[in-house]
Amino acid sequence: METQDFVARQFVTLRDEIKATKARLFTIVMVGLIAVPLLAHFASKSEFLVWLLLPYSVLMLIILFVTEQSTMMRAGRFIREQIEPRIAPAPSWEAWIESRPDLRLLDRYYVACFMVIFFLYYFITSGVSVDLILRKEAADMSGTGMYWYWFAGALLAYAIGAIWAFFTLLHHWKEAVSTSNVGALGSRPPAVTAG
């Protein structure tokens, strides 16, 4: 197989991966926007232990979204750094779009909007879970204080989950919204030259 043929096949494969990633992103957003409220509704009619797990479902959606978004940008970065320089001397699509920060603005808004909505879901479901535990404690006639342990454990677990998700997002923000070389903390990896 010739080098140009291999590069062309890589390009087509990566573009197909980007299309598949966009489809998965759409599915994640729809699951989040529709399924989380539905799950919350059904969880409200079941045991309170189900509610304790719902915030972690939202965290999983956040991480899945960031992962897919980063995968898509990583494919674009590979196209920009490894494939486009071998094909044309003039800037191609990925190089052109990355050179115009205003064109990546909508990507940033999209990711930020998703994060705001789903962190809001996370805090709402966490709050409802903690409230349900407190209600169970108030209704508990055994006097064991068992639900206070549930309350403390849930509060700690939800706080750790929120902090972890926030710092994960902060660490991966740049790679989720850009194909540039600059990492999340501003470091630049060594440049790879096309050969």
Side-chain angles (χ1 to χ4, degrees), residues 34-103:
I34 296 168
V36 169
L38 282 175
L39 285 172
H41 172 73
F42 292 124
S44 70
K45 302 200 182 311
S46 64
E47 281 292 316
F48 91 98
L49 293 175
V50 175
W51 259 104
L52 295 177
L53 298 176
L54 194 56
Y56 289 109
S57 301
V58 177
L59 280 183
M60 281 305 298
L61 286 173
I62 291 170
I63 298 306
L64 284 172
F65 181 84
V66 171
T67 300
E68 290 297 327
Q69 186 70 22
S70 295
T71 297
M72 183 174 60
M73 290 298 173
R74 189 170 47 242
R77 180 177 177 187
F78 187 86
I79 289 170
R80 182 176 57 81
E81 291 179 357
Q82 300 297 320
I83 295 176
E84 288 179 351
R86 294 177 184 200
I87 294 174
S92 296
W93 174 254
E94 291 293 338
W96 177 78
I97 201 165
E98 198 60 43
S99 71
R100 310 260 325 260
D102 57 314
L103 298 177

Side-chain angles (χ1 to χ4, degrees), residues 14 18 37 52 54 56 77 111-112 121 134-135 146 159 184 193:
L14 286 169
I18 289 170
L52 295 177
L54 194 56
Y56 289 109
R77 180 177 177 187
V111 173
Y121 274 5
L134 291 176
R135 288 183 192 193
M146 173 187 76
T193 58

